[in-house]
Amino acid sequence: MNRKNDQVNDVILQTAAVIIFFIIIMFSINLFFAGHYSPGGGFVGGLMTAAALVLLLLAFDSKTLANVLPFDYRIMTAVGLVIAMLTSLHSIFWDRPFLTHAYDKFDLPLLGEQTLHTAIAFDLGVYLVVIGVTMTIIQTIGESE
Amino acid sequence: MINLPIFPIVIPALAAIILMFAPKQVRLQRVMALGALLVTFAVSVLLVFTVSQDGILTVNLGNWPAPFGITLVSDMLSALLVTTSTVIVFFIVWFATHYFSDAYESNYVYVAMLFLLVGVNGAFTTGDIFNLFVFFEVFLISSYVLIVLGGKGVQLRESIKYLLVNVIASALFVMAVALLYGVVGTLSLADLAQKIPLVENQNVITVIGVLFVIVFGMKGALVPLHYWLPGSYVVAPTPILAMFGALLTKVGVYSILRTYTLLFDTGSFMQTFLIVLAVLTIVIGMTGAIAYNDVKLIIIYNIMIAVGVILYGIALNTQTSLEGALYYLMHDMLIKAALFMLVGMMIGITGSGQLRDMGGLITRFPLFGWTFFIAALSLAGIPPLSGFFGKLLIVQGGVADGDLFGPLLILLSSLFVLFSVIKIFLYGFWGEERRVYDGPLVPYMNRLIVPTLLLVAVAVAYGFGAEAMHPFITQAIEPLIEPEIYIDAVIKE
């Protein structure tokens, strides 16, 4: 328990964690965007991102993580809910039923012509909520004495 | 506006989400929660009038046609119940703004209350059995938060029990839905109602029906599945208890009403089963209501009597008895919330829940005393007040159905209800003051009485306006008597 007092040298763990962190993040983003056509989506993507953050938490400590990534995860949950809610609500302004999604083709710089669907915004909401909730649980349990 | 039925669900949800950004701004939380509830109330009244003119409203979420997507169905029954629950939550939140301390309020309590309303309104409005499960979980998870918030020892102990019972009930719910889906192959209520008569093996349907009654009976505290109710409810703070007592068990009752009339009305077995459960619930509720001297427990056992009476009306499944059940359901939601607020104030003033520690309250708080008296008479069903018409119609329905035992038991139960609440009135308000009453609520007394009085006034107006309510009630009963109306409204050819 008293790790702060011992001089523990975690150089292998910390070096590996920093490298693996980015691999996991890339994988989670891939999972997130893959959701529409292949297995994946907001839920696993968010969980995987949270797993990467937990890896940092294991290799370093919660203060370091809070310094590097200064997010308030409760606010992140709320932001995710707002995004999901607004995505569901936008259709009522076009006089369509709630939760009706829309898509269109866009000519994006670098990426070329891509189809964008409002379902991805909903998924982004799910993604943020999953990260927010997971990290809130882990941080709250971790910091309580 | 084709999206009208979603607003009673979406407005409190949106307000709750916005409140999550600023948990420490207590004043903003109060104003915003009350404002959102007022808007929700206005929308739900508009919904009632739209439904009364245009008939059943449906929204196919995501524009997918009826049996394939999720449909939200606002018939008069759900519109009335949504309005009632919104009114109740509005007054309870108003009460809570004076009742809770700032520290308590800054722990997301209004967020949880609003999400509870989202779940309840959603459960009343949905037309899909799995979506019903999801909305059940929405309000159950909010109720877990609300019951444990504060972190006293007893709260922790009882919330574990409450959680355990509800997790098991939810697992059973999923299994029942899985069985139903395995047999019929659809989840939309209207489509299920269409296809269930075509199933060859009707015994399987009866088994699933019984499983659903067990699930909803666990949520709605039917005997012998009521054992969790007294302990869990008695530890919750007053506004939370009022919310639970008024809304949560009634959603279970509503679900039995909806599924039984629409899906499982498949023969006399189910009817006998429900009548036996209803009679047992009334008897155990009566026993509990006269046995205790703890004011909270007396009202909690009165919930069970009311659930039993409503269930008896549902089980008979005739025009008269269903009208009575709906009348009584709405009356009971209003008056139980008011009574819990009133006994909570008694406890807050005297510092004890036991009747033997109270007495003489009426000399110091006359308005409070007479409000309680009117609420008590209304609960018992004294004629011009709101409890009368529901019970009258249920008794009439029972007699017309050739049953004498049930109606007699219901009349007898009224006597027990009256006895139990008048006992509170006589011991609590009459007589001499037992000691100096300086409980924590005394300074707030004048402010707390306002929402309570208004809620009792709503209940009294509901009783006096029974004639004006009658067309709405009749319209609400139509799709229950003839499920074809419901099916045609949802599945448009």
Side-chain angles (χ1 to χ4, degrees), chain A residues 1-10:
Chain A
M1 277 319 309
N2 255 336
R3 285 186 60 178
K4 277 168 206 160
N5 299 341
D6 309 340
Q7 288 294 323
V8 186
N9 199 345
D10 287 338

Side-chain angles (χ1 to χ4, degrees), chain B residues 217-342:
Chain B
M218 242 163 167
K219 313 277 187 198
L222 301 181
V223 173
L225 306 165
H226 68 290
Y227 47 84
W228 56 272
L229 177 99
S232 311
Y233 277 24
V234 88
V235 300
T238 302
I240 310 299
L241 173 62
M243 235 165 149
F244 284 13
L247 301 177
L248 296 194
T249 50
K250 307 305 184 295
V251 186
V253 173
Y254 164 81
S255 308
I256 291 179
L257 172 63
R258 185 64 91 188
T259 49
Y260 174 63
T261 52
L262 202 58
L263 308 180
F264 300 120
D265 184 19
T266 49
S268 63
F269 172 75
M270 278 295 281
Q271 189 178 25
T272 321
F273 183 63
L274 284 179
I275 288 179
V276 170
L277 284 185
V279 166
L280 281 176
T281 310
I282 296 175
V283 170
I284 298 288
M286 274 158 51
T287 320
I290 59 163
Y292 287 97
N293 278 321
D294 183 314
V295 286
K296 271 189 184 175
L297 276 173
I298 292 173
I299 309 295
I300 287 170
Y301 277 99
N302 272 308
I303 297 180
M304 284 174 61
I305 301 179
V307 166
V309 169
I310 297 166
L311 188 71
Y312 180 76
I314 295 169
L316 290 176
N317 204 2
T318 60
Q319 169 91 29
T320 328
S321 76
L322 284 178
E323 269 180 32
L326 181 54
Y327 248 118
Y328 201 72
L329 181 60
M330 288 169 61
H331 143 78
D332 193 63
M333 287 166 80
L334 291 168
I335 208 72
K336 280 284 149 56
L339 274 170
F340 277 122
M341 283 147 80
L342 287 163

Side-chain angles (χ1 to χ4, degrees), chain A residues 97-115:
Chain A
F98 185 67
L99 266 172
T100 308
H101 287 288
Y103 68 94
D104 204 355
K105 291 198 163 74
F106 291 95
D107 211 7
L108 299 173
L110 289 178
L111 295 171
E113 196 185 65
Q114 290 287 337
T115 313

Side-chain angles (χ1 to χ4, degrees), chain A residues 74-75 78-79 81-82 85 89 92 95-100, chain B residues 2-3 6-7 10 13-14 17 20-21 60-63 108:
Chain A
R74 298 180 191 203
I75 300 292
V79 169
L81 285 171
V82 166
M85 199 53 141
L89 276 174
I92 67 173
D95 217 21
R96 301 269 160 73
F98 185 67
L99 266 172
T100 308
Chain B
I2 51 170
N3 280 300
I6 68 160
F7 285 116
V10 167
L14 209 54
I17 294 168
M20 284 172 74
F21 283 101
N60 292 321
L61 295 187
N63 222 356
Y108 298 95

Side-chain angles (χ1 to χ4, degrees), chain B residues 28 67-68 74 94 103 109 124 126 154 171 193 210 227 236 263 271 307 338 408 424 485 493:
Chain B
L28 175 83
F68 308 114
S74 266
W94 185 353
V109 68
F124 286 145
T126 186
V154 280
V210 170
Y227 47 84
L263 308 180
Q271 189 178 25
V307 166
L408 280 178
I424 299 180
I485 299 176
E493 294 301 331

Side-chain angles (χ1 to χ4, degrees), chain A residues 126-143:
Chain A
V126 176
Y127 179 80
L128 291 177
V129 169
V130 171
I131 298 175
V133 169
T134 319
M135 292 310 291
T136 308
I137 293 171
I138 289 172
Q139 278 190 339
T140 318
I141 295 174
E143 284 165 13

